[in-house]
Short mmCIF file of all heavy atoms in Angstrom, two decimals:
data_model
loop_
_atom_site.label_atom_id
_atom_site.label_comp_id
_atom_site.label_asym_id
_atom_site.label_seq_id
_atom_site.Cartn_x
_atom_site.Cartn_y
_atom_site.Cartn_z
N GLY A 15 113.46 78.05 93.31
CA GLY A 15 112.37 78.87 93.81
C GLY A 15 111.38 79.26 92.73
O GLY A 15 111.65 79.15 91.53
N ASP A 16 110.24 79.70 93.18
CA ASP A 16 109.16 80.20 92.32
C ASP A 16 109.21 81.72 92.39
O ASP A 16 109.02 82.30 93.47
CB ASP A 16 107.83 79.66 92.84
CG ASP A 16 106.63 80.20 92.11
OD1 ASP A 16 106.76 81.06 91.22
OD2 ASP A 16 105.51 79.74 92.43
N LEU A 17 109.44 82.37 91.27
CA LEU A 17 109.59 83.83 91.28
C LEU A 17 108.30 84.57 91.61
O LEU A 17 108.33 85.78 91.80
CB LEU A 17 110.13 84.31 89.93
CG LEU A 17 111.58 83.95 89.64
CD1 LEU A 17 112.00 84.49 88.28
CD2 LEU A 17 112.50 84.49 90.73
N THR A 18 107.19 83.87 91.72
CA THR A 18 105.95 84.52 92.15
C THR A 18 105.75 84.42 93.66
O THR A 18 104.86 85.06 94.21
CB THR A 18 104.72 83.94 91.44
OG1 THR A 18 104.56 82.56 91.81
CG2 THR A 18 104.85 84.06 89.93
N ALA A 19 106.59 83.62 94.32
CA ALA A 19 106.46 83.42 95.78
C ALA A 19 107.82 83.05 96.37
O ALA A 19 108.04 81.92 96.77
CB ALA A 19 105.43 82.34 96.07
N LEU A 20 108.71 84.01 96.41
CA LEU A 20 110.05 83.78 96.94
C LEU A 20 110.03 83.72 98.46
O LEU A 20 109.30 84.47 99.10
CB LEU A 20 111.00 84.89 96.48
CG LEU A 20 111.30 84.91 94.98
CD1 LEU A 20 111.99 86.21 94.60
CD2 LEU A 20 112.15 83.71 94.61
N MET A 21 110.83 82.85 99.01
CA MET A 21 110.96 82.73 100.46
C MET A 21 112.06 83.68 100.93
O MET A 21 113.03 83.28 101.57
CB MET A 21 111.26 81.28 100.85
CG MET A 21 110.22 80.29 100.40
SD MET A 21 108.57 80.63 101.06
CE MET A 21 108.83 80.27 102.77
N ILE A 22 111.89 84.96 100.60
CA ILE A 22 112.87 86.00 100.89
C ILE A 22 112.11 87.13 101.60
O ILE A 22 110.99 87.46 101.20
CB ILE A 22 113.50 86.54 99.57
CG1 ILE A 22 114.19 85.42 98.79
CG2 ILE A 22 114.43 87.71 99.84
CD1 ILE A 22 115.43 84.86 99.44
N PRO A 23 112.69 87.76 102.59
CA PRO A 23 112.01 88.86 103.28
C PRO A 23 111.80 90.07 102.35
O PRO A 23 112.51 90.25 101.36
CB PRO A 23 112.97 89.24 104.41
CG PRO A 23 113.99 88.18 104.48
CD PRO A 23 113.99 87.45 103.19
N ASP A 24 110.85 90.90 102.71
CA ASP A 24 110.62 92.17 102.00
C ASP A 24 111.89 93.02 102.04
O ASP A 24 112.66 92.97 103.01
CB ASP A 24 109.50 92.97 102.66
CG ASP A 24 108.14 92.31 102.54
OD1 ASP A 24 108.02 91.28 101.87
OD2 ASP A 24 107.18 92.84 103.14
N ASP A 25 112.07 93.83 100.98
CA ASP A 25 113.16 94.82 100.93
C ASP A 25 114.53 94.20 101.23
O ASP A 25 115.32 94.74 101.99
CB ASP A 25 112.90 95.95 101.93
CG ASP A 25 111.55 96.61 101.71
OD1 ASP A 25 111.10 96.69 100.56
OD2 ASP A 25 110.94 97.04 102.70
N PHE A 26 114.83 93.08 100.62
CA PHE A 26 116.04 92.33 100.93
C PHE A 26 117.21 92.64 100.00
O PHE A 26 118.34 92.80 100.44
CB PHE A 26 115.72 90.83 100.89
CG PHE A 26 116.83 89.95 101.34
CD1 PHE A 26 117.06 89.75 102.69
CD2 PHE A 26 117.65 89.31 100.43
CE1 PHE A 26 118.09 88.93 103.12
CE2 PHE A 26 118.68 88.48 100.85
CZ PHE A 26 118.90 88.30 102.19
N TYR A 27 116.94 92.73 98.70
CA TYR A 27 118.02 92.85 97.71
C TYR A 27 118.29 94.29 97.31
O TYR A 27 117.37 95.09 97.13
CB TYR A 27 117.68 92.04 96.45
CG TYR A 27 117.68 90.56 96.67
CD1 TYR A 27 116.51 89.82 96.58
CD2 TYR A 27 118.85 89.88 96.97
CE1 TYR A 27 116.50 88.45 96.77
CE2 TYR A 27 118.85 88.51 97.17
CZ TYR A 27 117.68 87.81 97.06
OH TYR A 27 117.67 86.45 97.26
N ASP A 28 119.57 94.59 97.11
CA ASP A 28 119.99 95.88 96.56
C ASP A 28 119.84 95.91 95.05
O ASP A 28 119.50 96.93 94.46
CB ASP A 28 121.46 96.17 96.90
CG ASP A 28 121.69 96.32 98.39
OD1 ASP A 28 120.99 97.15 99.00
OD2 ASP A 28 122.54 95.62 98.93
N VAL A 29 120.14 94.79 94.41
CA VAL A 29 120.07 94.65 92.95
C VAL A 29 119.48 93.29 92.63
O VAL A 29 119.83 92.28 93.24
CB VAL A 29 121.47 94.75 92.31
CG1 VAL A 29 121.40 94.54 90.80
CG2 VAL A 29 122.14 96.07 92.63
N ILE A 30 118.57 93.29 91.66
CA ILE A 30 118.04 92.04 91.13
C ILE A 30 118.28 92.06 89.63
O ILE A 30 117.91 93.01 88.94
CB ILE A 30 116.53 91.88 91.44
CG1 ILE A 30 116.30 91.81 92.95
CG2 ILE A 30 115.99 90.63 90.74
CD1 ILE A 30 114.84 91.76 93.33
N PHE A 31 118.88 90.99 89.14
CA PHE A 31 119.20 90.84 87.73
C PHE A 31 118.41 89.66 87.20
O PHE A 31 118.58 88.53 87.69
CB PHE A 31 120.71 90.59 87.60
CG PHE A 31 121.20 90.49 86.19
CD1 PHE A 31 121.54 91.64 85.49
CD2 PHE A 31 121.34 89.26 85.58
CE1 PHE A 31 122.01 91.54 84.18
CE2 PHE A 31 121.81 89.16 84.29
CZ PHE A 31 122.14 90.31 83.59
N VAL A 32 117.52 89.91 86.24
CA VAL A 32 116.64 88.87 85.69
C VAL A 32 116.96 88.76 84.20
O VAL A 32 116.80 89.72 83.45
CB VAL A 32 115.16 89.24 85.90
CG1 VAL A 32 114.25 88.19 85.33
CG2 VAL A 32 114.86 89.48 87.37
N ARG A 33 117.38 87.58 83.79
CA ARG A 33 117.80 87.40 82.39
C ARG A 33 117.04 86.24 81.75
O ARG A 33 117.09 85.11 82.24
CB ARG A 33 119.30 87.12 82.36
CG ARG A 33 119.86 86.96 80.98
CD ARG A 33 121.39 86.85 81.07
NE ARG A 33 121.93 86.55 79.78
CZ ARG A 33 122.44 85.37 79.44
NH1 ARG A 33 122.47 84.39 80.32
NH2 ARG A 33 122.92 85.18 78.24
N PHE A 34 116.33 86.55 80.67
CA PHE A 34 115.60 85.56 79.87
C PHE A 34 114.61 84.75 80.71
O PHE A 34 114.53 83.53 80.62
CB PHE A 34 116.56 84.62 79.13
CG PHE A 34 117.60 85.34 78.31
CD1 PHE A 34 118.90 84.88 78.27
CD2 PHE A 34 117.28 86.47 77.59
CE1 PHE A 34 119.86 85.53 77.51
CE2 PHE A 34 118.24 87.13 76.84
CZ PHE A 34 119.53 86.66 76.79
N VAL A 35 113.88 85.46 81.55
CA VAL A 35 112.89 84.82 82.43
C VAL A 35 111.48 85.20 82.02
O VAL A 35 110.62 84.33 81.83
CB VAL A 35 113.13 85.22 83.91
CG1 VAL A 35 111.99 84.73 84.79
CG2 VAL A 35 114.46 84.68 84.39
N LEU A 36 111.22 86.47 81.88
CA LEU A 36 109.85 86.94 81.64
C LEU A 36 109.27 86.42 80.33
O LEU A 36 108.06 86.22 80.21
CB LEU A 36 109.79 88.46 81.69
CG LEU A 36 110.23 89.08 83.01
CD1 LEU A 36 110.10 90.59 82.94
CD2 LEU A 36 109.46 88.52 84.18
N GLU A 37 110.12 86.17 79.34
CA GLU A 37 109.64 85.66 78.05
C GLU A 37 109.00 84.28 78.18
O GLU A 37 108.24 83.87 77.31
CB GLU A 37 110.77 85.62 77.03
CG GLU A 37 111.85 84.61 77.37
CD GLU A 37 113.04 84.69 76.45
OE1 GLU A 37 113.82 85.64 76.57
OE2 GLU A 37 113.17 83.80 75.59
N HIS A 38 109.26 83.58 79.26
CA HIS A 38 108.70 82.24 79.47
C HIS A 38 107.41 82.27 80.30
O HIS A 38 106.85 81.21 80.59
CB HIS A 38 109.73 81.35 80.16
CG HIS A 38 110.97 81.17 79.36
ND1 HIS A 38 111.01 80.40 78.21
CD2 HIS A 38 112.21 81.69 79.50
CE1 HIS A 38 112.22 80.45 77.70
NE2 HIS A 38 112.97 81.23 78.46
N SER A 39 106.96 83.45 80.64
CA SER A 39 105.75 83.58 81.47
C SER A 39 104.60 84.13 80.64
O SER A 39 104.77 85.07 79.87
CB SER A 39 106.04 84.55 82.63
OG SER A 39 104.87 84.80 83.34
N ARG A 40 103.44 83.53 80.80
CA ARG A 40 102.25 84.06 80.12
C ARG A 40 101.86 85.43 80.64
O ARG A 40 101.40 86.28 79.91
CB ARG A 40 101.07 83.11 80.31
CG ARG A 40 101.18 81.88 79.52
CD ARG A 40 99.93 81.08 79.63
NE ARG A 40 99.87 80.25 78.44
CZ ARG A 40 98.88 79.48 78.15
NH1 ARG A 40 97.83 79.43 78.95
NH2 ARG A 40 98.90 78.75 77.07
N ASP A 41 102.05 85.61 81.95
CA ASP A 41 101.73 86.89 82.59
C ASP A 41 102.86 87.23 83.55
O ASP A 41 102.94 86.66 84.64
CB ASP A 41 100.40 86.79 83.33
CG ASP A 41 100.00 88.10 83.98
OD1 ASP A 41 100.68 89.13 83.78
OD2 ASP A 41 98.99 88.09 84.71
N PRO A 42 103.76 88.14 83.16
CA PRO A 42 104.90 88.45 84.02
C PRO A 42 104.56 89.32 85.23
O PRO A 42 105.40 89.49 86.11
CB PRO A 42 105.85 89.19 83.07
CG PRO A 42 104.97 89.79 82.05
CD PRO A 42 103.82 88.83 81.88
N ARG A 43 103.35 89.85 85.31
CA ARG A 43 103.01 90.75 86.41
C ARG A 43 103.20 90.16 87.80
O ARG A 43 103.76 90.83 88.68
CB ARG A 43 101.60 91.32 86.23
CG ARG A 43 101.53 92.27 85.04
CD ARG A 43 100.14 92.75 84.79
NE ARG A 43 99.36 91.60 84.31
CZ ARG A 43 98.11 91.66 83.88
NH1 ARG A 43 97.47 92.80 83.89
NH2 ARG A 43 97.48 90.58 83.46
N PRO A 44 102.79 88.90 88.06
CA PRO A 44 103.05 88.35 89.40
C PRO A 44 104.54 88.25 89.72
O PRO A 44 104.94 88.47 90.86
CB PRO A 44 102.40 86.96 89.35
CG PRO A 44 101.37 87.06 88.27
CD PRO A 44 101.94 88.02 87.26
N ILE A 45 105.34 87.94 88.73
CA ILE A 45 106.79 87.88 88.94
C ILE A 45 107.32 89.27 89.27
O ILE A 45 108.09 89.45 90.22
CB ILE A 45 107.50 87.32 87.70
CG1 ILE A 45 107.11 85.86 87.48
CG2 ILE A 45 109.02 87.45 87.84
CD1 ILE A 45 107.56 85.28 86.15
N LEU A 46 106.91 90.26 88.51
CA LEU A 46 107.37 91.63 88.74
C LEU A 46 106.94 92.15 90.10
O LEU A 46 107.71 92.83 90.79
CB LEU A 46 106.89 92.54 87.62
CG LEU A 46 107.50 92.26 86.25
CD1 LEU A 46 106.79 93.06 85.17
CD2 LEU A 46 108.99 92.53 86.25
N ARG A 47 105.72 91.81 90.53
CA ARG A 47 105.26 92.22 91.87
C ARG A 47 106.13 91.61 92.95
O ARG A 47 106.49 92.27 93.92
CB ARG A 47 103.80 91.83 92.08
CG ARG A 47 102.80 92.80 91.50
CD ARG A 47 101.39 92.52 91.99
NE ARG A 47 100.86 91.26 91.49
CZ ARG A 47 100.23 91.11 90.33
NH1 ARG A 47 100.05 92.15 89.54
NH2 ARG A 47 99.78 89.94 89.95
N GLU A 48 106.47 90.33 92.78
CA GLU A 48 107.29 89.65 93.79
C GLU A 48 108.70 90.22 93.80
O GLU A 48 109.28 90.43 94.87
CB GLU A 48 107.31 88.15 93.52
CG GLU A 48 108.05 87.34 94.54
CD GLU A 48 107.41 87.33 95.93
OE1 GLU A 48 106.43 88.06 96.19
OE2 GLU A 48 107.92 86.60 96.79
N LEU A 49 109.26 90.50 92.64
CA LEU A 49 110.60 91.10 92.59
C LEU A 49 110.60 92.47 93.25
O LEU A 49 111.52 92.82 93.97
CB LEU A 49 111.09 91.18 91.15
CG LEU A 49 111.31 89.84 90.44
CD1 LEU A 49 111.70 90.07 88.99
CD2 LEU A 49 112.34 89.00 91.17
N ARG A 50 109.55 93.22 93.02
CA ARG A 50 109.43 94.54 93.66
C ARG A 50 109.37 94.40 95.18
O ARG A 50 109.94 95.19 95.92
CB ARG A 50 108.19 95.25 93.14
CG ARG A 50 108.00 96.62 93.70
CD ARG A 50 106.80 97.26 93.09
NE ARG A 50 106.55 98.55 93.70
CZ ARG A 50 105.40 99.15 93.68
NH1 ARG A 50 104.36 98.62 93.07
NH2 ARG A 50 105.24 100.30 94.27
N ARG A 51 108.68 93.38 95.66
CA ARG A 51 108.54 93.15 97.10
C ARG A 51 109.89 92.89 97.75
O ARG A 51 110.18 93.42 98.82
CB ARG A 51 107.59 91.97 97.37
CG ARG A 51 107.41 91.69 98.85
CD ARG A 51 106.62 90.42 99.10
NE ARG A 51 107.34 89.22 98.76
CZ ARG A 51 108.31 88.66 99.49
NH1 ARG A 51 108.70 89.22 100.63
NH2 ARG A 51 108.90 87.54 99.10
N VAL A 52 110.73 92.08 97.10
CA VAL A 52 112.00 91.70 97.72
C VAL A 52 113.13 92.70 97.42
O VAL A 52 114.21 92.58 97.98
CB VAL A 52 112.42 90.27 97.33
CG1 VAL A 52 111.38 89.26 97.81
CG2 VAL A 52 112.69 90.13 95.85
N LEU A 53 112.87 93.68 96.56
CA LEU A 53 113.86 94.69 96.23
C LEU A 53 113.76 95.86 97.20
O LEU A 53 112.66 96.34 97.50
CB LEU A 53 113.62 95.19 94.79
CG LEU A 53 114.64 96.16 94.21
CD1 LEU A 53 116.00 95.48 94.05
CD2 LEU A 53 114.15 96.68 92.86
N LYS A 54 114.90 96.33 97.68
CA LYS A 54 114.91 97.49 98.57
C LYS A 54 114.33 98.71 97.84
O LYS A 54 114.43 98.80 96.61
CB LYS A 54 116.33 97.79 99.04
CG LYS A 54 116.87 96.75 100.00
CD LYS A 54 118.29 97.09 100.44
CE LYS A 54 118.81 96.03 101.39
NZ LYS A 54 120.21 96.30 101.79
N PRO A 55 113.75 99.66 98.56
CA PRO A 55 113.12 100.83 97.92
C PRO A 55 114.03 101.58 96.94
O PRO A 55 113.57 102.05 95.92
CB PRO A 55 112.72 101.72 99.09
CG PRO A 55 112.52 100.76 100.22
CD PRO A 55 113.55 99.67 100.01
N GLU A 56 115.30 101.67 97.24
CA GLU A 56 116.23 102.37 96.34
C GLU A 56 117.04 101.38 95.49
O GLU A 56 118.04 101.76 94.88
CB GLU A 56 117.18 103.27 97.15
CG GLU A 56 116.46 104.35 97.92
CD GLU A 56 115.69 105.31 97.02
OE1 GLU A 56 116.20 105.68 95.95
OE2 GLU A 56 114.56 105.67 97.40
N GLY A 57 116.59 100.13 95.44
CA GLY A 57 117.30 99.09 94.71
C GLY A 57 117.14 99.22 93.21
O GLY A 57 116.35 100.02 92.71
#
């Protein structure tokens, strides 16, 4: 998958663990926005 456009519904995950990913991105903001979208509000 592409972390800027996951085929996952909104508010899906309780926990998201990202390891050694953002360092490979020129601009991590789109990734972080997408992770926020798929993370539950209290996740």
Side-chain angles (χ1 to χ4, degrees):
D16 175 356
L17 290 181
T18 64
L20 292 168
M21 301 301 291
I22 301 291
D24 293 355
D25 305 327
F26 187 80
Y27 292 114
D28 295 306
V29 177
I30 297 176
F31 183 86
V32 180
R33 182 173 174 252
F34 307 140
V35 171
L36 300 181
E37 66 187 74
H38 299 288
S39 174
R40 287 187 156 184
D41 182 6
R43 291 176 291 186
I45 295 170
L46 293 170
R47 277 192 293 273
E48 184 67 353
L49 295 176
R50 182 177 175 201
R51 180 187 70 76
V52 299
L53 186 65
K54 290 180 180 178
E56 299 299 320

